Amino acid sequence: MPESLLTILKFCFLALLYLFFVRVVRAVWTEVTAPPAAPVAAAAPVATARRDRGAAKKAVAHLRVVEPAAQRGRTYDVVDELTIGRAAGCQIPLDDSYASQLHARVFRRNGDLLVEDLGSTNGTFLNRKKVEAAVPIRKGDRLQVGKTVLELTK
């Protein structure tokens, strides 16, 4: 192969490598500088219509923010499953430095509403008791994720 063709191929390879690097840096920069997602009042995922024995118990529950005072009163519908944390994909996004990206999960199983910790750093607490496994959550229970406290209402 002629030397000039190899030189052209080297420059083409370097140009592609440079473009790839620019795209990666741009994607990371977009993720880092993106503004936090605004909370949505009814952010629970829509479930497909299924008829099962627990359908009568499947009334929509709500998680209401109790603390901090700046977010007090925000309410989130709990239909089948939702995640709580700082990540943008969470149904309950928290602006709380003590909360993990994916901190906890509230979900239904056999008609009961349960909460479980998703391996968070600071733990998830239900009525001031640390959640070690999936535990039932009832009306009036308080769920603490980081410094944020949510209360279950129906």
Side-chain angles (χ1 to χ4, degrees):
M1 236 190 243
E3 188 69 29
S4 60
L5 181 61
L6 287 176
T7 304
I8 291 172
L9 288 175
K10 286 180 194 177
F11 283 123
C12 289
F13 177 73
L14 285 174
L16 287 174
L17 191 62
Y18 173 76
L19 290 173
F20 174 75
F21 179 72
V22 167
R23 291 283 302 209
V24 168
V25 169
R26 190 168 153 204
V28 170
W29 183 257
T30 303
E31 284 292 320
V32 170
T33 60
V40 177
V46 178
T48 58
R50 279 191 328 184
R51 297 189 185 246
D52 57 76
R53 293 180 297 161
K57 290 185 179 180
K58 228 174 188 178
V60 176
H62 307 281
L63 278 172
R64 182 176 47 90
V65 177
V66 178
E67 293 178 25
Q71 297 181 6
R72 185 175 292 141
R74 286 192 179 156
T75 304
Y76 302 91
D77 292 344
V78 181
V79 179
D80 282 334
E81 178 178 348
L82 57 83
T83 53
I84 305 168
R86 290 186 297 132
C90 291
Q91 286 79 29
I92 300 181
L94 300 177
D95 186 23
D96 184 344
S97 60
Y98 289 93
S100 296
Q101 292 290 321
L102 284 173
H103 196 103
R105 170 174 89 120
V106 177
F107 62 99
R108 288 194 184 273
R109 183 183 297 152
N110 299 329
D112 292 327
L113 201 57
L114 297 124
V115 63
E116 74 175 335
D117 186 78
L118 296 176
S120 65
T121 304
N122 295 319
T124 302
F125 296 87
L126 182 63
N127 297 325
R128 297 188 179 192
K129 293 180 183 171
K130 190 167 185 171
V131 174
E132 300 292 338
V135 294
I137 182 171
R138 310 260 184 254
K139 180 180 177 183
D141 285 351
R142 289 196 170 198
L143 179 65
Q144 182 174 352
V145 175
K147 289 190 175 183
T148 305
V149 179
L150 303 127
E151 183 177 35
L152 185 69
T153 59
K154 289 191 181 183

